C-alpha cells in the first residue's frame, strides 16, 4: 500500500488540474459562442427578459395557454417531480381535482379529450412544453378570454410547434412561454 | 407515437454504429499501437515523471488491486473533507452550506464507487467547486478505474501463461486522457450548443410573464453532464437530473446523452473480442446482453405507452401515455427506453421519475439493476458477466463430466468459490438492507432522525416497500437512480447505503480480477475436441439461464411483495 500512496496523491492532484480545472474552462470558453453564451437562452418581450426558453413558467390566467402542473411551482431554484406512485389514492385525488379545475375553466371540453399531461406533474417541475393536442384543447378558452378567432390561435399554435427531429424522431412539442409571448404580440 | 418509437430505434442503431469504431480505437490504445491521440503522450509522460511512476513496470493482479484500492482511498478522504467544508471554499456563488458528516460520507462514497446516489439536491447541496473538483472529477476517474480493472482481465484472457498483466497507472491514465476526455469534449459541446449551461455564472432572477419572481439555477453543467453519462455515473448537476430542461434541453441532447451512456459498455464487449482475438466469444456475449435488454425493454415501453389504468378509470384517454413524472419533449417511449438502459448499465441518470412509473416498469428497473450485467457499467458490466460465465462453465463442466476450462486454463475450486461469494453478495446486501429498513419502519417509526422512519415513504402500500427495496438495489448495483420519494436524507440511509455501496463496488471488482489473475498464471492447455466451447450459442443460452435462475430465485419473494403485488392491485 505504502509504495502506491505517494504516486496516488501526486497523480490525483495532476488529474484534478486537467479534468476539473482545464476541461470545464475549455467547455465554458467555447460555449461563449453558443446561443445564450453558455448561460442559458433567454426570451424577451417588449424589450424585457421574461424568462428562459428552456425553463417553463406558471400560467394560470385564462388568457394564456396553461403549462403543466408543477411540484416546484416553476421556481427553477430547485427542480423535481411528485414521486407519486400510479395507484397512490392521495395522488389520484389530486389528479381528479386538476380535471375538475380544468373542466371549470374550459366548459366546452369533454373530459375524455383532456390530454394526460395537463393533469399530471412533469418530472423536472419546469417542463417548458406541451404536446400540440394539449395546446389545441385550450384554444376555445383563450379565444373567448381574448376575443380572438379560434382559427387564428390554431395558426399560432402550429407556427410555434417544433416538429420531431428530422421530421421523424421523437415527439412534437409546443414551447408554452414562446407561444404566450407570441400571443401577447398578436394584434 | 410512431415518431417516438422510431426515435428509440434510431438512437440504439446510432449507438451500435459508433460503438464499433470506438471499440477498435480502445483496442489500439491498450495494445499500444499508433493512434491519432498520441499527441497526449508527452503530457502523460510528464504526469508519470512528476508522480514517480514507471509506466512500463508490469504488475501482478495483486499489485493492480493494491494500486487501485490505494488511489481510491485517497479520493475518498479528499472528497469527504471537501464536501464537509465546501461552504468555506471558493466558487460558491449561491452561498450553499457544507454537508453534514453522514451526508458527506454518503456522497463521497457514492461518487467514489461510480454510483452517484444523491441524497442532496444539486442546486442547493453542493457548490460549483465541489461539483467540478469532487463530483465531476470522481466521475472521470471512477469510470477509468472500472475500465482499468477490465483491461487487466482482458490481458489475463489473452496471455497463455503469465503473472504480468500490464501497468495499472498506464491503463488508468490513458483511459482518462485518450478515451474519456476527448469524447467528453465533443459531447459537452453538443450539449452546450443545444442550450445546456456551461458558464460559471450563479443563479439568475427573472420576473415571469404573469409577474412571478423566480430564480433559475445554472452553472458549468455541460461538461459535467457529458462525463456523467460517458462514465455511466448518472449523478445530475440539477436535482431533477436529465429531466431538467437545462440538463437535457431537447430531443437531440436526449439522443446524445442516451448514446453517450451506453456506447462505452457496448464498445467494451466488441473490444473484448478484438483484444483477445476471439470475436465469436464476444458476439455471443453481446447477443445474450442484447436479448436481455430487449426482454426488459418491451414490457417497460408498453406499460408506459398504455398509461396509468387508474387515470384511464377516471375517463382520461392518455393518448400520450403515462405522463406523471415525465417531460413532454421526451414522451413515454423515450423515457421507458432510458429507464431500461440506465438501470442495466448502472448509470442511474433519469429523464423521467422512476417512482411514478408503472408497476411493470418498476419491476423491470429493479431486475435490470439486480442483473447488472446486460452491457453493464463502464468496465464493471463485463466483470459482472464474467462471474456468470465462470459459474456457467463450472455447471456445464459438471453436466458433461469434464474438468471445466476457460480460455485454456483449468477452472478449479478456488475460482469457483470466489465467483459463488460474489454472486451471493448482491442478494445478501439488497435483501438484508431492505429487511433492516422494513424492521425499523415497523418497530421504531418515531426514531429521532432528521426524517422519522414513519415519514420515509412517499407512497403507501406495496409501492412504499418498493421504495426501500429500490434504494438498496440501486446502491448495491452502484446505479444511483432512486424511487426518489424515499426520505433518504438522514443518518440511517446515508450510513447503511454507504456500506452497501462500498461492498457492492469493490468486491465485484476484486473478485473477477483475482479469478482472471489466478487463471492466467496456470499452465496453458491447448484447446482440443474435448474442450467446452464458450463461444457457441449453446453456451450463451447456458449463461443466460444461469443469470436468470440465480437472480430470479434470489429476488422473487421481495419482488412479489413490491412491484408484482402493486401490479395486481392496480390492474384489477
Amino acid at each position: 500500500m505504502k509504495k502506491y500512496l505517494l504516486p496516488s496523491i501526486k497523480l490525483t492532484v495532476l488529474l484534478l488540474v486537467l479534468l476539473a480545472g482545464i476541461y470545464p474552462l475549455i467547455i465554458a470558453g467555447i460555449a461563449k459562442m453558443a446561443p445564450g453564451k453558455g448561460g442559458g437562452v433567454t426570451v424577451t418581450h417588449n424589450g424585457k427578459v421574461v424568462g428562459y426558453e428552456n425553463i417553463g413558467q406558471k400560467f394560470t390566467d385564462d388568457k394564456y395557454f396553461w403549462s403543466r402542473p408543477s411540484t416546484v411551482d416553476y421556481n427553477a431554484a430547485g427542480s423535481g417531480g411528485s414521486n407519486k406512485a400510479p395507484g397512490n389514492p392521495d395522488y389520484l385525488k389530486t389528479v381528479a381535482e386538476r380535471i375538475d379545475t380544468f373542466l371549470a375553466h374550459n366548459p366546452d371540453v369533454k373530459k375524455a379529450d383532456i390530454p394526460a399531461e395537463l393533469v399530471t406533474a412533469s418530472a423536472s417541475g419546469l417542463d417548458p412544453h406541451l404536446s400540440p393536442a394539449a395546446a389545441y384543447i385550450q384554444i376555445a378558452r383563450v379565444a373567448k378570454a381574448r376575443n380572438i378567432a379560434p382559427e387564428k390561435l390554431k395558426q399560432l399554435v402550429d407556427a410555434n410547434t417544433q416538429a420531431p427531429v428530422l421530421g421523424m424522431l421523437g415527439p412534437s412539442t409546443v414551447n408554452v412561454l414562446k407561444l404566450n409571448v407570441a400571443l401577447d404580440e398578436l394584434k | 407515437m410512431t415518431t417516438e418509437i422510431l426515435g428509440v430505434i434510431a438512437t440504439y442503431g446510432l449507438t451500435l454504429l459508433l460503438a464499433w469504431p470506438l471499440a477498435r480505437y480502445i483496442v489500439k490504445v491498450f495494445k499500444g499501437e499508433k493512434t491519432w491521440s498520441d499527441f497526449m503522450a508527452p503530457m502523460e509522460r510528464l504526469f508519470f515523471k512528476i508522480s514517480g511512476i514507471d509506466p512500463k513496470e508490469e504488475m501482478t493482479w495483486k499489485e493492480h488491486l493494491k494500486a487501485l484500492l490505494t488511489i481510491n482511498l485517497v479520493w475518498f478522504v479528499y472528497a469527504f473533507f471537501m464536501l464537509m467544508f465546501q461552504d468555506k471554499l471558493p466558487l460558491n456563488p449561491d452561498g450553499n452550506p457544507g454537508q453534514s458528516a453522514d451526508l458527506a460520507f454518503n456522497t463521497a462514497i457514492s461518487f467514489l464507487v461510480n454510483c452517484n446516489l444523491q441524497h442532496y439536491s444539486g442546486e442547493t447541496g453542493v457548490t460549483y467547486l465541489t461539483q467540478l473538483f469532487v463530483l465531476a472529477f470522481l466521475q472521470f476517474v471512477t469510470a477509468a478505474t472500472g475500465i482499468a480493472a477490465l483491461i487487466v482481465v482482458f490481458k489475463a484472457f489473452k496471455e497463455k501463461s503469465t503473472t504480468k498483466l500490464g501497468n495499472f497507472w498506464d491503463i488508468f491514465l490513458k483511459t482518462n486522457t485518450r478515451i474519456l476526455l476527448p469524447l467528453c469534449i465533443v459531447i459537452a459541446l453538443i450539449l452546450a450548443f443545444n442550450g445546456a449551461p456551461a458558464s460559471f455564472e450563479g443563479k439568475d432572477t427573472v420576473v415571469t410573464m404573469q409577474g412571478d419572481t423566480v430564480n433559475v439555477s445554472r452553472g458549468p453543467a455541460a461538461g459535467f453532464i457529458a462525463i456523467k453519462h460517458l462514465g455511466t455515473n448518472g449523478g445530475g448537476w440539477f436535482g431533477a437530473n436529465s429531466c431538467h430542461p437545462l440538463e437535457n434541453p431537447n430531443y437531440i441532447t436526449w439522443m446524445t446523452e442516451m448514446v453517450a451512456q451506453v456506447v462505452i459498455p457496448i464498445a467494451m464487449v466488441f473490444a473484448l473480442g478484438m483484444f483477445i482475438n476471439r470475436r465469436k466469444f464476444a458476439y455471443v456475449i453481446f447477443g445474450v446482453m442484447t436479448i436481455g435488454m430487449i426482454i426488459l425493454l418491451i414490457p417497460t415501453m408498453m406499460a408506459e405507452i398504455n398509461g396509468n389504468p387508474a387515470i384511464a378509470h377516471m375517463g382520461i384517454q392518455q393518448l400520450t401515455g403515462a405522463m406523471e413524472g415525465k417531460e413532454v419533449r421526451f414522451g413515454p417511449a423515450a423515457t421507458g427506453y432510458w429507464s431500461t438502459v440506465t438501470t442495466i448499465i448502472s448509470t442511474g441518470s433519469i429523464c423521467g421519475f422512476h417512482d411514478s412509473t408503472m408497476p411493470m416498469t418498476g419491476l423491470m428497473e429493479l431486475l435490470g439493476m439486480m442483473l447488472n450485467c446486460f452491457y453493464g457499467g463502464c468496465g464493471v458490466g463485463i466483470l459482472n458477466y464474467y462471474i456468470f460465465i465462470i459459474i456457467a462453465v463450472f455447471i456445464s463442466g459438471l453436466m458433461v463430466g469434464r474438468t471445466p476450462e476457460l480460455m485454456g486454463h483449468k477452472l478449479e475450486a478456488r475460482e469457483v468459490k470466489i465467483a459463488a461469494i460474489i454472486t451471493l453478495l448482491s442478494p445478501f446486501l439488497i435483501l438484508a438492507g431492505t429487511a433492516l429498513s422494513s424492521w425499523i419502519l415497523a418497530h421504531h417509526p418515531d426514531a429521532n432522525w432528521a426524517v422519522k422512519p414513519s415519514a420515509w415513504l412517499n407512497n403507501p402500500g406495496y409501492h412504499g416497500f418498493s421504495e426501500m427495496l429500490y434504494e438498496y438495489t440501486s446502491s448495491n448495483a452502484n446505479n444511483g437512480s432512486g424511487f426518489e420519494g424515499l426520505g433518504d436524507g438522514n443518518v440511517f440511509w446515508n450510513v447503511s447505503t454507504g456500506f452497501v455501496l462500498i461492498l457492492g463496488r469493490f468486491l465485484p471488482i476484486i473478485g473477477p480480477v483475482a479469478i482472471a489473475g489466478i487463471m492466467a498464471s496456470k499452465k496453458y492447455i491447448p484447446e482440443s475436441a474435448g474442450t467446452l466451447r464458450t463461444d457457441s450459442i449453446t453456451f450463451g443460452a447456458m449463461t443466460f439461464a444461469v443469470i436468470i435462475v440465480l437472480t430470479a430465485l434470489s429476488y422473487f419473494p421481495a419482488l412479489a411483495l413490491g412491484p408484482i403485488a402493486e401490479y395486481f392491485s392496480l390492474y384489477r
Side-chain angles (χ1 to χ4, degrees), chain A residues 1 3-5 7-12 14-16 18-21 23-25 27-28 30-35 37-39 45 49-52 54-55 57-61 64 68 74-89 91-92 95-96 98-99 111-114 116-117 120-131 164-165 167-171 173 177 180-181 184, chain B residues 3-4 6-7 10 43 47 50-51 53 57 59 63 66-67 70-71 74-75 78 123 132-133 137 140 169 172-173 176 181 184-185 188-189 192-193 197-199 201 203-204 206-210 212 214-218 223 226 239-240 243-246 249 251-252 255 308 310-311 314-318 320-321 323-330 353 355-359 458-460 463 484-485 566 570:
Chain A
M1 277 296 190
K3 181 183 162 197
Y4 301 113
L5 191 60
S8 292
I9 294 172
K10 285 179 179 169
L11 192 59
T12 299
L14 292 168
L15 281 172
L16 272 169
L18 178 68
L19 303 174
Y23 163 63
L25 286 174
I27 303 299
I30 302 178
K32 286 265 179 262
M33 292 183 290
K37 292 184 180 159
H45 176 49
V49 173
V50 289
Y52 282 78
N54 288 322
I55 299 288
Q57 290 188 2
K58 188 163 78 175
F59 288 106
T60 44
D61 203 314
Y64 285 120
R68 300 182 60 191
Y74 283 104
N75 187 352
S79 57
S82 71
N83 285 309
K84 295 295 181 195
N88 185 328
Y91 159 67
L92 293 172
V95 174
R98 287 179 189 144
I99 295 172
K111 192 174 176 183
D113 295 336
I114 302 175
E117 76 232 44
T120 52
S122 64
S124 59
L126 307 169
D127 194 341
H129 296 110
L130 289 176
S131 69
V165 176
M168 55 182 184
L169 309 178
T173 55
L177 175 58
N180 283 329
V181 167
D184 267 2
Chain B
T3 56
E4 294 183 37
L6 269 179
M43 185 182 68
F47 275 28
I50 298 176
S51 312
I53 290 167
E57 185 197 336
M59 295 177 166
E63 289 167 331
K66 276 183 197 159
T70 308
I71 198 165
V74 169
W75 296 334
Y78 161 76
E123 291 92 338
L132 295 175
F133 278 78
F137 169 72
F140 270 103
W169 308 113
F172 166 74
L173 183 63
N176 281 307
L181 187 58
C184 272
I185 290 177
L189 291 178
F193 278 80
S199 78
E201 292 164 288
K203 262 191 205 117
D204 193 13
V206 279
V207 180
T208 67
M209 298 267 296
Q210 282 203 153
D212 304 319
V214 297
N215 293 315
V216 178
S217 285
R218 298 181 293 176
C243 313
H244 196 292
L246 291 180
Y251 205 76
I252 294 174
M255 291 178 76
N308 183 349
I311 291 183
M314 292 180 194
I316 302 282
Q317 281 185 2
Q318 300 183 86
T320 46
M323 286 306 289
E324 182 69 34
K326 289 199 183 55
E327 300 281 295
V328 170
R329 64 193 180 283
F330 310 133
F353 272 74
D355 216 349
S356 298
T357 50
M358 297 304 109
N458 192 44
N459 291 288
H463 193 90
E484 289 296 339
E566 189 192 358
L570 192 62

